[in-house]
Amino acid sequence: MQDKYVLPLVDISLLNSTNLDDRMQVAQALDQACKEVGFLYLKGDQFQPALFAQLCDIAKHYFAQDDALKMQNYIGKSVNHSGYVPIGEEQFSSNSYDLKESYDVNYDYQGSALNYPLLGPTQWPDDPAFKRHVSQYYQHLKAIGHQLFRCFALALEQKEDFFDMHIQHAPSQLRLIHYPYNPQATDAEGIGAHTDYECFTLLLPTAPGLQVLTKQGEWIDIPLLENTLVMNIGDMMEILSNGKYLATKHRVKKVQQERYSFPLFFSCDYDYVIQPINTNEPPKYAPLAGGEHLFNQTAQTFHYLKQRVASGELVLKNAVPLYSFGLTESNMEYTP
């Protein structure tokens, strides 16, 4: 029953403390929440609600523009998978797509040229206010994400700075997603269900609609909770934790109301090899090239990349199928 499931709420304020015991307290709470559910709410003194509000306002302004203007920055024109994503571009299954559009923003790497398809200068629209507010939000959450990487290191019994050297130029992506008002919306079970490919995600939603698949195999609604972010575990953290934390399948119900959603997906550096980090137990996962996995999964969901694969212009190496991580029949906990 829905009433049985209430996501954990973890206060990360003490990650600002200079006292290791305080930070360990947060790490223990994070560890417990990620073991139990893999989805949770975060609150903290670090949050700047004014930046959250600015991001919502700028997104509403951007998506209200004509499609032709938005398509000037179509994601297929970029060299590092950034830009406008029209409705129908992204598909997790061949027979359906979510009614949504988005603008995808990458790390905006300005260093020397690298042969990494997800790392490079972001394609920005010709709107200085958009770039300013979106960049401010990105940097704000990036700082919080780096605190959380340190927290995960403690939770996984590593030195607190374990991840520091592996998140210097991570291709972590922010998506500004718009679900337009749709009076004909009729929901279908499982449409759009997926796990996130990266380590973890920090999500700012503006309306209900998000659902999570529990270990009992039941879809549950995730209500809004004021002044919080929603956090979930992704594929890479499932591997890093050697299955201690599972990537959690989730979806967005097809609802009539207009809604916005702002996930920032935190990954490690492109060339960092993702593998279990606790060497005291047998590894349950083979090593995975992090950036390669991230791009391969992306190329299996975006139309413009699928076309390049089909034509032979793009060849994916070591790609695993979508839905290769997270809950399966073997790790669900069915109850009578």
Side-chain angles (χ1 to χ4, degrees):
M1 289 300 190
Q2 176 74 46
D3 290 345
K4 292 194 306 181
Y5 298 100
V6 179
L7 290 188
L9 172 63
V10 175
D11 189 336
I12 64 170
S13 300
L14 287 179
L15 293 182
N16 288 330
S17 173
T18 57
N19 188 321
L20 177 59
D21 290 340
D22 289 341
R23 302 195 298 277
M24 281 298 304
Q25 181 180 326
V26 181
Q28 291 166 0
L30 180 68
D31 177 69
Q32 188 64 31
C34 291
K35 285 190 299 185
E36 289 180 354
V37 185
F39 251 83
L40 58 148
Y41 296 108
L42 295 182
K43 69 175 183 178
D45 295 339
Q46 297 94 326
F47 296 172
Q48 296 181 26
L51 293 182
F52 297 3
Q54 287 174 353
L55 185 70
C56 293
D57 289 343
I58 203 71
K60 290 176 182 178
H61 173 76
Y62 175 79
F63 289 115
Q65 299 177 108
D66 292 338
D67 289 347
L69 183 60
K70 290 181 288 189
M71 283 297 290
Q72 290 179 5
N73 296 107
Y74 173 55
I75 195 166
K77 298 178 180 179
S78 71
V79 295
N80 69 324
H81 192 66
S82 63
Y84 176 65
V85 181
I87 292 173
E89 172 71 27
E90 186 181 12
Q91 288 184 290
F92 289 101
S93 60
S94 59
N95 59 351
S96 181
Y97 60 84
D98 292 334
L99 182 64
K100 68 182 181 185
E101 58 182 342
S102 71
Y103 203 97
D104 292 3
V105 174
N106 288 325
Y107 167 55
D108 205 9
Y109 176 73
Q110 300 292 330
S112 56
L114 297 172
N115 189 27
Y116 294 153
L118 298 176
L119 200 63
T122 291
Q123 178 184 198
W124 293 103
D126 186 18
D127 182 349
F130 182 94
K131 180 177 181 180
R132 181 173 67 255
H133 291 310
V134 173
S135 297
Q136 287 175 344
Y137 182 84
Y138 187 105
Q139 293 302 321
H140 174 54
L141 251 63
K142 178 183 173 184
I144 294 172
H146 283 199
Q147 284 190 322
L148 288 166
F149 268 114
R150 286 183 153 237
C151 193
F152 272 115
L154 293 175
L156 294 172
E157 301 179 357
Q158 304 297 313
K159 292 183 179 180
E160 192 172 10
D161 63 355
F162 176 87
F163 287 108
D164 287 8
M165 68 181 69
H166 305 306
I167 52 175
Q168 298 296 308
H169 300 294
S172 300
Q173 185 182 68
L174 170 66
R175 306 197 73 189
L176 283 65
I177 304 175
H178 175 225
Y179 295 84
Y181 172 65
N182 180 22
Q184 284 80 42
T186 54
D187 197 37
E189 186 71 16
I191 295 300
H194 63 283
T195 60
D196 291 343
Y197 316 138
E198 299 82 358
C199 295
F200 59 88
T201 304
L202 296 182
L203 170 69
L204 174 65
T206 66
L210 179 64
Q211 290 191 319
V212 170
L213 185 65
T214 70
K215 289 185 178 181
Q216 290 73 37
E218 179 182 354
W219 286 105
I220 62 168
D221 294 312
I222 305 304
L224 295 182
L225 193 59
E226 191 175 1
N227 296 323
T228 67
L229 294 173
V230 177
M231 178 182 184
N232 66 276
I233 294 299
D235 297 351
M236 293 182 186
M237 189 59 73
E238 179 175 331
I239 298 172
L240 290 164
S241 70
N242 204 25
K244 183 180 184 181
Y245 314 137
L246 293 179
T248 312
K249 285 189 174 68
H250 52 285
R251 57 173 283 226
V252 175
K253 290 194 300 184
K254 291 188 176 181
V255 297
Q256 292 186 1
Q257 70 189 113
E258 182 180 36
R259 70 189 296 271
Y260 295 85
S261 180
F262 307 104
L264 204 164
F265 305 97
F266 285 88
S267 65
C268 294
D269 288 339
Y270 200 93
D271 54 1
Y272 178 60
V273 176
I274 305 296
Q275 58 189 330
I277 61 177
N278 188 340
T279 57
N280 295 324
E281 58 186 28
K284 300 176 183 177
Y285 300 82
L288 188 72
E292 182 180 76
H293 170 68
L294 181 54
F295 183 70
N296 286 344
Q297 300 300 86
T298 302
Q300 292 180 70
T301 56
F302 279 78
H303 180 66
Y304 85 95
L305 291 172
K306 288 180 181 180
Q307 286 185 315
R308 293 178 187 177
V309 172
S311 69
E313 176 187 351
L314 178 63
V315 178
L316 302 183
K317 298 179 181 178
N318 305 311
V320 299
L322 299 174
Y323 313 114
S324 294
F325 297 90
L327 291 171
T328 64
E329 290 186 1
S330 63
N331 57 32
M332 284 186 181
E333 300 170 357
Y334 290 103
T335 54

